Structure formats: C-alpha cells, structure tokens
Amino acid sequence: GQTNPSGSNKPSGDDKPLKVGVVVIGSTQDKGYTYAHARGMDYVKSQLGGKVEIIYRDNVDDTNAQATTAAIESLIEDDKCTVIFTNSFGFMEPTAAAAEKYKDVKFFHCSGYMSNGTNFVNYFGRAYQARYLAGIAAGKATKTNKIGYVAAQKITEVYRGINAFTLGVQSVNPNATVYVNWTGTWYDPTLEKEAAKSLLQAGCDCIAQHQDTMQPGYAAAEAKAYSLGYNSPMLESNPEGYLTGPTWDWGIYYLEQIKAILDGTWKAENVWRDMASGVVKLDEFGPSVTDETKQLIADTKAKIVNGEWDVFTGPIYDNKGELRVADGEKMTDEQMLSTDFTWFVKGATDEGIQG
C-alpha cells in the first residue's frame, strides 16, 4: 500500500474497494434486461469480492435527462463512485455530458454510439446473431405463418434485431410474415403485454420481443401460443410454449473491464461483442423445439461463431422488393450500425395484419 500522508489509521487508497455506480432503467429483479446487467455485476462481485463495491440507481427514466443526470451525479458526489455504467439507450447524452464534467471518472454506456476516446466508451453485443437463430426456431414452430414481434423504439438497434430475426424465419419458412407492433418504450410491463395480446388476437401464434420484461411471454402463455424471450432466460414466462431467445452474459465484459481498471491497464475502447465472445448467447430450448430444429440452429451457430458466415449476407431484399445487399456481399459494421438502417427486410412489416 502507499504511505498515508495524513498519518491516520484510515485505509490507504489501495485498500479501499473500487466504487462502481450502475444506472439502470428497470428493476434489478425484472427478470429481463436490467436483471441481465445486475447478474453481470453479481458475477464481478463473486470474482473480486471486497475489491469492488457496486451501487445502483434503479428505475431511472431514460426519457428524463434531468433524472438521469441526477442519478449519475449522486453516485459520483455522494457515493464517491469512480466508475459509472449506464444501461439504456436514452441515458447516452446525459452520460456523455457527465463524462465531460467528471474527467477522472470512467463512464461506460450500453447500446449507444457516443464516446470520447478517453474516459467514456460504449459497449454492446451482436444480439442480431442470436436473433437470427431464434428466428429459425420461430419459423419452424409457427402453424399460422403469422409471427408477432413486440418492439420498443424505432431505432437502428431494434430494426437490426427484427431484420435478423426475420431472415432466420425466412431461411426455413419463406411463407411466414413477422408483424411488428411498436410500444414506443423499452420498459412498460403493461404496454408490452397489451401489444403482444393484440398480435395474438390478429392471428399470430408466436410472439417475439425486443422489450425489457417477460410480459409478452405471459401473454403468449395465456393464449397457448409460442414465445421467444430476450435479455434473460424466460422459459418460466411460458413453460409449454417457450422456444428460446437471445440472452446476455454481461459478467464476461464487466469483469474484464473492472479488472483492467484495478490493474491500471484499462484503455478506452468501444466494443461490439459477438456470440464467439460468450457475451451474446442463445437461451436453452423450450419443450416444443424439435431435435431437427435444434440441429439446424447448432449448425448455423457454428458458422457464425467460426466467422464463416454472418447474418446480413446478401442477397437481401427489403419488404418493398428492392435489393439492399447484393449476392455474396455482406453488410459492414458501419452499415449495420447506421441510422439509415431503419427499413424492413422481406417478410417483416409494421402495417396491420390483413385477413
């Protein structure tokens, strides 16, 4: 330890735990999006013990910049956190502003695109890879060829996910259509369930989601329909009809970053982790997924993980019939992350279900 200039018996800087503040949109027990981040931080605690202290501000409204800023500042000013993680897209700008104000604090923002190369980075994973695999399960399971998709915000991340899922569906069932119902919010359990119900009433027999909670799965269970989860394992929402879903293992990334901070080796790097990294996973299969489907998914996953193939490889047509990715070409990361990527592939639509 370093010598303590004040001569008091207080622990020196080396003995104090690293204080990590975490600002989250939902409840750490929501069994969905925020829960996945909290499980990641639990993993860090299990590995590093007393070297790290994790302090949450939960249920922070990501549409309220003032509330977000207040949560970040109180973690720094009151709790003396020197590392801040913020987990929702809408936290991006307040996090960027805080990084300018507090140069000695390291900031990590999940799912956004802003960073400053010094003390503020963004991180996310290629969930679209697991979504494609989930699409295979849905395309094989549907009987009505109508698959519902409860979607949060009209941003690239969500369109990319819908499109990857739809390409997976289409790869095994070109007659199926994915019907998107937008909620306009990441986290609203009531609204998420209502959106799923209206898709089920319109004839969808399978519900996918890009939302933070298990409510779409509960709606599917009540209608005796299939469902696919997101973020965390969601079999419990629909024990009979659950197929699978993309999930996150954030602990891998969190431990790596926090260890680097403790070691003094941390560098500001933006990351977009893939399935090979283990950060993005496909959940276990529910009871109705056939062995044939499991095998097909395993074979496709192997190609993705080995880097032989990725989801957005042409030919890809949009739902108006225009060729968007030529045969043999592959969308670049820049194209996949671009704000222009807000069109639907063939087989997906957010216009009402006809007949």
Side-chain angles (χ1 to χ4, degrees):
Q2 63 214 57
T3 55
N4 198 323
S6 68
S8 72
N9 294 326
K10 280 186 188 152
S12 71
D14 286 2
D15 302 321
K16 284 185 189 156
L18 179 73
K19 288 193 170 185
V20 177
V22 187
V23 179
V24 293
I25 188 174
S27 152
T28 56
Q29 301 305 314
D30 70 6
K31 292 294 180 79
Y33 180 69
T34 292
Y35 180 79
H37 288 278
R39 294 297 72 75
M41 289 295 174
D42 288 350
Y43 176 69
V44 171
K45 288 286 290 180
S46 75
Q47 300 301 303
L48 298 178
K51 290 185 190 166
V52 63
E53 185 183 342
I54 293 161
I55 303 162
Y56 289 92
R57 292 289 183 273
D58 61 358
N59 293 303
V60 178
D61 178 359
D62 86 336
T63 63
N64 183 334
Q66 257 177 315
T68 306
T69 300
I72 294 169
E73 295 196 345
S74 78
L75 284 165
I76 296 167
E77 304 280 358
D78 306 336
D79 295 303
K80 309 299 177 214
C81 292
T82 54
V83 180
I84 299 287
F85 287 84
T86 60
N87 87 332
S88 192
F89 185 81
F91 295 150
M92 180 169 64
E93 286 174 7
T95 306
E100 288 307 303
K101 183 172 174 183
Y102 299 98
K103 299 285 193 189
D104 297 337
V105 176
K106 293 178 176 68
F107 292 86
F108 297 77
H109 176 248
C110 183
S111 78
Y113 52 81
M114 292 173 81
S115 61
N116 66 10
T118 53
N119 69 325
F120 171 41
V121 300
N122 61 63
Y123 67 98
F124 205 50
R126 295 174 188 269
Y128 71 85
Q129 295 178 330
R131 285 206 184 275
Y132 182 93
L133 301 176
I136 295 174
K140 284 289 199 182
T142 181
K143 310 278 189 294
T144 63
N145 286 338
K146 291 179 178 177
I147 297 167
Y149 198 114
V150 182
Q153 309 275 10
K154 292 184 179 184
I155 63 168
T156 298
E157 179 200 330
V158 184
Y159 278 96
R160 186 173 60 240
I162 293 163
N163 286 336
F165 176 78
T166 304
L167 290 170
V169 169
Q170 291 269 313
S171 73
V172 294
N173 184 348
N175 299 317
T177 301
V178 175
Y179 292 95
V180 178
N181 195 353
W182 299 100
T183 61
T185 174
W186 299 108
Y187 179 80
D188 183 330
T190 310
L191 206 53
E192 292 173 40
K193 190 170 186 183
E194 288 307 312
K197 279 185 174 167
S198 62
L199 287 161
L200 290 157
Q201 282 155 6
C204 295
D205 65 349
C206 183
I207 297 292
Q209 66 177 76
H210 191 139
Q211 293 286 170
D212 284 6
T213 78
M214 291 205 284
Q215 292 302 324
Y218 288 125
E222 285 163 20
K224 302 214 176 339
Y226 297 113
S227 65
L228 300 110
Y230 181 40
N231 299 306
S232 297
M234 290 191 175
L235 176 68
E236 67 184 89
S237 66
N238 187 5
E240 298 293 304
Y242 183 73
L243 299 174
T244 184
T247 60
W248 296 107
D249 187 349
W250 288 121
I252 295 169
Y253 175 73
Y254 289 161
L255 181 65
E256 167 197 290
Q257 298 299 306
I258 289 168
K259 269 176 122 167
I261 291 168
L262 290 167
D263 296 345
T265 58
W266 186 81
K267 287 190 202 64
E269 281 178 314
N270 299 328
V271 303
W272 199 23
R273 291 286 163 86
D274 56 13
M275 283 194 87
S277 73
V279 169
V280 177
K281 292 187 160 155
L282 190 66
D283 195 11
E284 65 180 323
F285 294 107
S288 60
V289 181
T290 66
D291 288 341
E292 180 214 357
T293 299
K294 287 178 192 172
Q295 188 57 53
L296 192 55
I297 288 171
D299 293 344
T300 310
K301 180 186 170 184
K303 281 191 215 164
I304 292 171
V305 171
N306 300 337
E308 285 169 53
W309 178 83
D310 201 27
V311 171
F312 293 105
T313 302
I316 296 174
Y317 290 87
D318 67 18
N319 68 357
K320 306 276 190 284
E322 188 187 328
L323 182 69
R324 293 283 194 152
V325 184
D327 194 3
E329 281 185 21
K330 197 169 101 167
M331 283 181 91
T332 62
D333 284 3
E334 214 171 38
Q335 288 169 323
M336 283 192 271
L337 293 163
S338 163
T339 50
D340 296 335
F341 192 16
T342 50
W343 45 268
F344 289 122
V345 298
K346 177 176 179 276
T349 180
D350 58 1
E351 284 160 27
I353 296 185
Q354 305 305 316

